[in-house]
Amino acid sequence: MADSGSTLVHDVRNQLSAILMFISLLGKVELPGEIHIRLSVSAEELRTVLTEPDLAAATHHDLNAMMDAFSEVLRNIEITQLPEEFVLFRTDIIARIPITIELWSSLTQL
């Protein structure tokens, strides 16, 4: 069980790290100010979870709500607002959201 929990923690951290890297990249793109603010809020919330010393016991975080908010921000970014190479990154990150939610659910049920 401990090994399974450790693997889940590692997997959640990997997903969150990838998402945070993408948010960091988006900070360099010219987007409407409101979107940058919402991305910044999402980054701060996700970073709080990522830096949790005992992620397996961090059930007080509502990662589902955080992922929903971040997903909404991504939906509000027009593909035409992104550099071409970011469109594929965005697709990858959107695919990571349900994976991260599922991993988090498994982790918090241990």
Side-chain angles (χ1 to χ4, degrees), residues 37-90:
I37 291 168
R38 292 174 62 200
L39 284 170
S40 179
V41 169
S42 287
E44 186 60 34
E45 290 175 339
L46 295 174
R47 201 172 289 110
T48 300
V49 176
L50 183 64
T51 59
E52 194 63 55
D54 185 5
L55 193 59
T59 57
H60 57 281
H61 292 291
D62 188 353
L63 191 65
N64 292 348
M66 291 177 200
M67 290 282 107
D68 287 344
F70 174 62
S71 181
E72 183 180 331
V73 175
L74 287 182
R75 284 192 304 272
N76 288 331
I77 299 172
E78 299 289 331
I79 290 179
T80 57
Q81 294 174 308
L82 295 175
E84 188 176 321
E85 63 273 14
F86 280 45
V87 174
L88 288 176
F89 290 149
R90 178 181 179 220

Side-chain angles (χ1 to χ4, degrees), residues 1 8 56 59 64 101-110:
M1 186 83 107
L8 284 170
T59 57
N64 292 348
I101 291 171
E102 184 178 322
L103 289 168
W104 181 255
S105 177
S106 297
L107 179 64
T108 57
Q109 291 177 8
L110 288 180

Side-chain angles (χ1 to χ4, degrees), residues 9-21:
V9 165
H10 177 75
D11 291 345
V12 169
R13 287 188 193 281
N14 282 344
Q15 296 298 328
L16 292 175
S17 293
I19 290 169
L20 284 166
M21 284 188 271

